[in-house]
Amino acid sequence: CRAYINPFVDFLDGGRRWQCNICGALMPVKSNYFSPTDASGRRADVAQRPELSSGSVEYIATKEYIVRAPQPPTFVFVIDVSMQAVASGMLAVAAAAIKASLDDLPGEDRAQVGFLCFDSAIHFHRFRPGCSHPDVLTMPDLDDPFKPAPDDLVVNIADNRGAVDAFLEALPGMHAEARSADSCLGSALEAGLRIMQHVGGKLLAFSAALPTVGK
């Protein structure tokens, strides 16, 4: 059953075998883990091994316990760029806060990021290799939002850090003349889930108003 050794397993044959308390299987104790037992079956080193005396222990899972390779930590930012977001200063604050937090994202060089902006439509930002600024793909269809490009919507942050920083610095200015008062927050969230569904991750939404159009 692949259970770990825990305080409730039994050590038999002087400590040379152990019996799983979940499935009952008998297994040999590896030489580097061996410790003699007393008459009651208690190991001599029980006080020195947390897994034999503690109710909760953290383990580093080996490859035998992994169905697929660990996926990179992925963060998709869904940002309101409507007139209210610009006028209230939310857009500028959100862009600055996201940029300041990039170095603290877990995963270090493996972390991935993606950016969607929304008002009365959904604006996908596609970071292509070698480009200093992302392409903008605008989707007006809010009833059935879909992924407009097969890749480059979620990218490795280390490989694209310059372009990501430049995008976040330019974002408030890109929408400084915003005239749309609509918000399609629900549709934008669905679109965000679609571009990260192949790896999973965390969706972070920044909104200045309740949704008025779309889902």
Side-chain angles (χ1 to χ4, degrees):
C1 69
R2 295 191 177 185
Y4 291 105
I5 287 179
N6 60 78
F8 305 102
V9 304
D10 294 322
F11 289 92
L12 310 172
D13 297 337
R16 289 183 290 274
R17 293 196 298 166
W18 67 280
Q19 185 174 31
C20 178
N21 61 306
I22 295 178
C23 67
L26 285 169
M27 286 156 285
V29 173
K30 294 182 179 180
S31 58
N32 62 351
Y33 195 77
F34 174 79
S35 175
T37 59
D38 58 21
S40 64
R42 181 182 174 86
R43 286 172 57 114
D45 64 348
V46 64
Q48 286 75 47
R49 293 193 176 275
E51 69 273 17
L52 299 179
S53 58
S54 302
S56 177
V57 181
E58 291 189 1
Y59 293 95
I60 298 177
T62 60
K63 62 181 181 180
E64 289 81 6
Y65 290 84
I66 301 175
V67 176
R68 64 175 183 174
Q71 299 299 297
T74 300
F75 303 87
V76 173
F77 298 92
V78 180
I79 307 170
D80 187 348
V81 294
S82 66
M83 184 169 59
Q84 295 95 320
V86 175
S88 66
M90 188 224 75
L91 177 58
V93 171
I98 293 170
K99 184 175 182 291
S101 70
L102 294 180
D103 288 330
D104 297 322
L105 294 180
E108 300 179 348
D109 291 343
R110 297 176 60 248
Q112 297 187 135
V113 292
F115 297 92
L116 298 181
C117 295
F118 67 93
D119 43 27
S120 59
I122 304 171
H123 312 284
F124 296 83
H125 296 274
R126 183 184 185 188
F127 292 84
R128 292 188 296 172
C131 294
S132 58
H133 294 280
D135 296 332
V136 180
L137 308 175
T138 299
M139 178 185 295
D141 184 359
L142 304 180
D143 294 327
D144 187 22
F146 57 89
K147 186 178 178 180
D151 51 20
D152 300 331
L153 295 175
V154 176
V155 296
N156 179 272
I157 189 172
D159 296 341
N160 298 272
R161 183 59 184 269
V164 170
D165 283 347
F167 162 71
L168 290 171
E169 290 170 1
L171 183 59
M174 291 166 57
H175 299 276
E177 302 300 323
R179 291 292 178 265
S180 175
D182 286 325
S183 168
C184 63
L185 175 60
S187 299
L189 291 175
E190 182 174 332
L193 291 173
R194 287 181 182 273
I195 71 171
M196 64 187 287
Q197 64 184 0
H198 63 294
V199 291
K202 182 174 288 188
L203 195 68
L204 300 102
F206 300 81
S207 179
L210 293 174
T212 57
V213 294
K215 296 188 174 182

